Amino acid sequence: MTNKTASPLYITMDERDNVAIVVNDGGLPADTVFPSGLKLVEKIPQAHKVALVPIAKGEAVRRYNVTIGMALKDIPAGSWVHERLLEMPDARGLDNLPIATVKPSPMPALDGYTFEGFRNADGSVGTRNILAITTTVQCVSGVVEFAVKRIKEALLSKYPHVDDVVGLEHTYGCGVAIDADGADIPIRTLRNISLNPNFGGEVMVVSLGCEKLQPERLMPAGSIPINDQRGETLDVVCLQDDAHVGFMAMIDAIMTTADKHLQRLNQRRRETVPASELVVGVQCGGSDAFSGVTANPAVGYCTDLLVRAGATVMFSEVTEVRDGIDQLTSRATTPEVAQAMIEEMAWYDAYLARGNADRSANTTPGNKKGGLSNIVEKAMGSIVKSGKSPISGVLKPGDKLKQKGLIYAATPASDFICGTLQLAAGMNMHVFTTGRGTPYGLAEVPVIKVATRTDLAHRWHDLMDINAGTIADGSKTIEAVGMEMFQLMLDVASGRKKTWAEHWKLHNALVLFNPAPVT
């Protein structure tokens, strides 16, 4: 039975809410009567809000027991409540917040779960064994793309224990104010991506030669632990070197250098490691009103399982948590963690203000078509990815993780910038939820895609790894889908399963966050 033939159904998030979302595929027509006796006065699309009671002009419209807006006119019960009927509230101030006030009882440890990973010399663990070719500047991207194709065709088959070769190409490196405030963010991001656990400590760099971001600035002495152990210097192919006579000489030099790193990577073997070695980035994109009902709560339950197993989970996206900052500071393990979150919010408020924008610029036409009226409503559904565990640390953009537990990694909400920054932090597994649908993927780590709705999961059956829409139709619980996700992570991390993004080799480009000027 599908939701088109099922009884009319809506979902509320809190008993004090005065709106709910319509569950049925295709929405419901006017005059539909719900089992509660509520009658629709107009057609309402799937995932959009219905007024459960009459809402007077100026009265708060509540979802998640949070005011998502004030009614701009009287709204009769059974009406469609959308963004044009709401005045969005101002952002919560960053003073007088609850600081480390939530002290939950410790959850029992989750022992005995393991996966097969690649242990690195620095103690980190990879879920894949990949040769990454770092680039200092966009100018070399075409050459590196050509070289990577040649390496895969001519060399990779000789090294059966190496999973892939990827070029860490980007749009940075020159034509930028490289010493301006904020310029350190893209530089440290690229440096830390090059040291991601899935790359085994093998760092090779392709440089043009004349760029502002010189290799020694990108990877200064002492930044590559495995080089210090071997007494090696940074391995650089500079395309402007006189030795390269013609294009193919550049390609040959890259391939020769790559071959040396492939030989060493091929010596790595998977070994049994505890689930505590997982470093998971969680993110949502193409969100709809079901994101905060199905997929994101399931991710939140999985997040708590991972933390109980001793693993590390990062949640991010500044504008998608800004309206729930009080929920986050109250869950901080210490006042210092809470203050670090506040500082990141304040920095981003100022960053947006420089562009005459604010958090409301976040929501997309697709978000609104999927039932999300504004960023307040979207934020409430986004935060639940973090589960209920205490927040034990905060990362600035581009920083590398130094602790385990639940971490707030401050990033923009852009899917591609967020994923790139989580890569830099050291994630070895990515979880991405979507309601509208997006073919997002990363070449550097496995990406598990979670559909918020059964309709999307069925239509994109060979792109979505998990269907969380089963929560809305009542066939599975949040806990069951969360455990399914946890088990799938262990299988994917071990190489026993591939995600659909890996199967199709769907990979988005890296996008470095550069708040500094371009010259």
PDB file of all heavy atoms in Angstrom, residues 50-64:
ATOM      1  N   VAL A  50      -0.149  21.920   7.546  1.00  0.00           N
ATOM      2  CA  VAL A  50      -1.577  22.176   7.704  1.00  0.00           C
ATOM      3  C   VAL A  50      -1.790  22.765   9.094  1.00  0.00           C
ATOM      4  O   VAL A  50      -1.170  22.323  10.077  1.00  0.00           O
ATOM      5  CB  VAL A  50      -2.408  20.880   7.518  1.00  0.00           C
ATOM      6  CG1 VAL A  50      -1.965  19.779   8.473  1.00  0.00           C
ATOM      7  CG2 VAL A  50      -3.898  21.175   7.715  1.00  0.00           C
ATOM      8  N   ALA A  51      -2.662  23.763   9.164  1.00  0.00           N
ATOM      9  CA  ALA A  51      -3.008  24.348  10.461  1.00  0.00           C
ATOM     10  C   ALA A  51      -3.931  23.389  11.205  1.00  0.00           C
ATOM     11  O   ALA A  51      -4.988  23.004  10.704  1.00  0.00           O
ATOM     12  CB  ALA A  51      -3.684  25.696  10.271  1.00  0.00           C
ATOM     13  N   LEU A  52      -3.528  22.989  12.400  1.00  0.00           N
ATOM     14  CA  LEU A  52      -4.318  22.047  13.195  1.00  0.00           C
ATOM     15  C   LEU A  52      -5.467  22.747  13.917  1.00  0.00           C
ATOM     16  O   LEU A  52      -6.482  22.114  14.245  1.00  0.00           O
ATOM     17  CB  LEU A  52      -3.430  21.341  14.211  1.00  0.00           C
ATOM     18  CG  LEU A  52      -2.283  20.502  13.626  1.00  0.00           C
ATOM     19  CD1 LEU A  52      -1.405  19.965  14.748  1.00  0.00           C
ATOM     20  CD2 LEU A  52      -2.833  19.369  12.776  1.00  0.00           C
ATOM     21  N   VAL A  53      -5.301  24.033  14.169  1.00  0.00           N
ATOM     22  CA  VAL A  53      -6.310  24.847  14.862  1.00  0.00           C
ATOM     23  C   VAL A  53      -6.313  26.214  14.191  1.00  0.00           C
ATOM     24  O   VAL A  53      -5.389  26.558  13.448  1.00  0.00           O
ATOM     25  CB  VAL A  53      -5.965  25.003  16.364  1.00  0.00           C
ATOM     26  CG1 VAL A  53      -6.018  23.658  17.074  1.00  0.00           C
ATOM     27  CG2 VAL A  53      -4.586  25.643  16.534  1.00  0.00           C
ATOM     28  N   PRO A  54      -7.332  27.030  14.420  1.00  0.00           N
ATOM     29  CA  PRO A  54      -7.284  28.394  13.886  1.00  0.00           C
ATOM     30  C   PRO A  54      -6.099  29.154  14.485  1.00  0.00           C
ATOM     31  O   PRO A  54      -5.834  29.079  15.689  1.00  0.00           O
ATOM     32  CB  PRO A  54      -8.617  29.002  14.326  1.00  0.00           C
ATOM     33  CG  PRO A  54      -9.505  27.834  14.616  1.00  0.00           C
ATOM     34  CD  PRO A  54      -8.606  26.753  15.119  1.00  0.00           C
ATOM     35  N   ILE A  55      -5.370  29.879  13.641  1.00  0.00           N
ATOM     36  CA  ILE A  55      -4.217  30.664  14.074  1.00  0.00           C
ATOM     37  C   ILE A  55      -4.508  32.126  13.740  1.00  0.00           C
ATOM     38  O   ILE A  55      -4.705  32.480  12.579  1.00  0.00           O
ATOM     39  CB  ILE A  55      -2.923  30.194  13.388  1.00  0.00           C
ATOM     40  CG1 ILE A  55      -2.673  28.703  13.664  1.00  0.00           C
ATOM     41  CG2 ILE A  55      -1.734  31.027  13.855  1.00  0.00           C
ATOM     42  CD1 ILE A  55      -1.514  28.110  12.878  1.00  0.00           C
ATOM     43  N   ALA A  56      -4.530  32.976  14.738  1.00  0.00           N
ATOM     44  CA  ALA A  56      -4.882  34.382  14.542  1.00  0.00           C
ATOM     45  C   ALA A  56      -3.700  35.166  13.990  1.00  0.00           C
ATOM     46  O   ALA A  56      -2.532  34.800  14.197  1.00  0.00           O
ATOM     47  CB  ALA A  56      -5.340  34.987  15.866  1.00  0.00           C
ATOM     48  N   LYS A  57      -4.006  36.243  13.294  1.00  0.00           N
ATOM     49  CA  LYS A  57      -2.961  37.134  12.795  1.00  0.00           C
ATOM     50  C   LYS A  57      -2.076  37.585  13.961  1.00  0.00           C
ATOM     51  O   LYS A  57      -2.561  37.976  15.022  1.00  0.00           O
ATOM     52  CB  LYS A  57      -3.596  38.350  12.124  1.00  0.00           C
ATOM     53  CG  LYS A  57      -2.585  39.351  11.577  1.00  0.00           C
ATOM     54  CD  LYS A  57      -3.267  40.536  10.918  1.00  0.00           C
ATOM     55  CE  LYS A  57      -2.249  41.549  10.408  1.00  0.00           C
ATOM     56  NZ  LYS A  57      -2.907  42.711   9.754  1.00  0.00           N
ATOM     57  N   GLY A  58      -0.746  37.484  13.761  1.00  0.00           N
ATOM     58  CA  GLY A  58       0.201  37.864  14.803  1.00  0.00           C
ATOM     59  C   GLY A  58       0.530  36.766  15.787  1.00  0.00           C
ATOM     60  O   GLY A  58       1.444  36.903  16.605  1.00  0.00           O
ATOM     61  N   GLU A  59      -0.194  35.634  15.707  1.00  0.00           N
ATOM     62  CA  GLU A  59       0.053  34.517  16.623  1.00  0.00           C
ATOM     63  C   GLU A  59       1.229  33.680  16.128  1.00  0.00           C
ATOM     64  O   GLU A  59       1.496  33.587  14.924  1.00  0.00           O
ATOM     65  CB  GLU A  59      -1.201  33.649  16.721  1.00  0.00           C
ATOM     66  CG  GLU A  59      -1.119  32.543  17.770  1.00  0.00           C
ATOM     67  CD  GLU A  59      -2.399  31.726  17.854  1.00  0.00           C
ATOM     68  OE1 GLU A  59      -3.426  32.168  17.282  1.00  0.00           O
ATOM     69  OE2 GLU A  59      -2.370  30.644  18.477  1.00  0.00           O
ATOM     70  N   ALA A  60       1.948  33.061  17.072  1.00  0.00           N
ATOM     71  CA  ALA A  60       3.091  32.220  16.733  1.00  0.00           C
ATOM     72  C   ALA A  60       2.641  30.942  16.036  1.00  0.00           C
ATOM     73  O   ALA A  60       1.688  30.292  16.475  1.00  0.00           O
ATOM     74  CB  ALA A  60       3.881  31.883  17.986  1.00  0.00           C
ATOM     75  N   VAL A  61       3.310  30.601  14.963  1.00  0.00           N
ATOM     76  CA  VAL A  61       3.135  29.307  14.299  1.00  0.00           C
ATOM     77  C   VAL A  61       4.247  28.407  14.826  1.00  0.00           C
ATOM     78  O   VAL A  61       5.431  28.746  14.729  1.00  0.00           O
ATOM     79  CB  VAL A  61       3.214  29.451  12.768  1.00  0.00           C
ATOM     80  CG1 VAL A  61       3.151  28.081  12.103  1.00  0.00           C
ATOM     81  CG2 VAL A  61       2.092  30.356  12.262  1.00  0.00           C
ATOM     82  N   ARG A  62       3.850  27.262  15.399  1.00  0.00           N
ATOM     83  CA  ARG A  62       4.824  26.437  16.121  1.00  0.00           C
ATOM     84  C   ARG A  62       4.958  25.061  15.483  1.00  0.00           C
ATOM     85  O   ARG A  62       3.965  24.380  15.219  1.00  0.00           O
ATOM     86  CB  ARG A  62       4.409  26.281  17.592  1.00  0.00           C
ATOM     87  CG  ARG A  62       4.302  27.613  18.333  1.00  0.00           C
ATOM     88  CD  ARG A  62       4.033  27.414  19.804  1.00  0.00           C
ATOM     89  NE  ARG A  62       5.178  26.824  20.507  1.00  0.00           N
ATOM     90  CZ  ARG A  62       6.233  27.511  20.916  1.00  0.00           C
ATOM     91  NH1 ARG A  62       6.320  28.812  20.692  1.00  0.00           N
ATOM     92  NH2 ARG A  62       7.215  26.913  21.558  1.00  0.00           N
ATOM     93  N   ARG A  63       6.209  24.674  15.237  1.00  0.00           N
ATOM     94  CA  ARG A  63       6.565  23.315  14.839  1.00  0.00           C
ATOM     95  C   ARG A  63       7.824  22.949  15.605  1.00  0.00           C
ATOM     96  O   ARG A  63       8.684  23.806  15.822  1.00  0.00           O
ATOM     97  CB  ARG A  63       6.797  23.226  13.326  1.00  0.00           C
ATOM     98  CG  ARG A  63       7.009  21.791  12.837  1.00  0.00           C
ATOM     99  CD  ARG A  63       6.928  21.653  11.318  1.00  0.00           C
ATOM    100  NE  ARG A  63       7.144  20.255  10.963  1.00  0.00           N
ATOM    101  CZ  ARG A  63       8.119  19.811  10.171  1.00  0.00           C
ATOM    102  NH1 ARG A  63       8.950  20.665   9.585  1.00  0.00           N
ATOM    103  NH2 ARG A  63       8.262  18.517   9.934  1.00  0.00           N
ATOM    104  N   TYR A  64       7.978  21.709  16.031  1.00  0.00           N
ATOM    105  CA  TYR A  64       9.049  21.296  16.948  1.00  0.00           C
ATOM    106  C   TYR A  64       8.919  22.031  18.293  1.00  0.00           C
ATOM    107  O   TYR A  64       9.896  22.178  19.020  1.00  0.00           O
ATOM    108  CB  TYR A  64      10.441  21.578  16.357  1.00  0.00           C
ATOM    109  CG  TYR A  64      10.751  20.857  15.084  1.00  0.00           C
ATOM    110  CD1 TYR A  64      10.582  21.480  13.851  1.00  0.00           C
ATOM    111  CD2 TYR A  64      11.243  19.557  15.095  1.00  0.00           C
ATOM    112  CE1 TYR A  64      10.882  20.832  12.656  1.00  0.00           C
ATOM    113  CE2 TYR A  64      11.557  18.891  13.918  1.00  0.00           C
ATOM    114  CZ  TYR A  64      11.369  19.526  12.705  1.00  0.00           C
ATOM    115  OH  TYR A  64      11.668  18.878  11.531  1.00  0.00           O
TER     116      TYR A  64
END
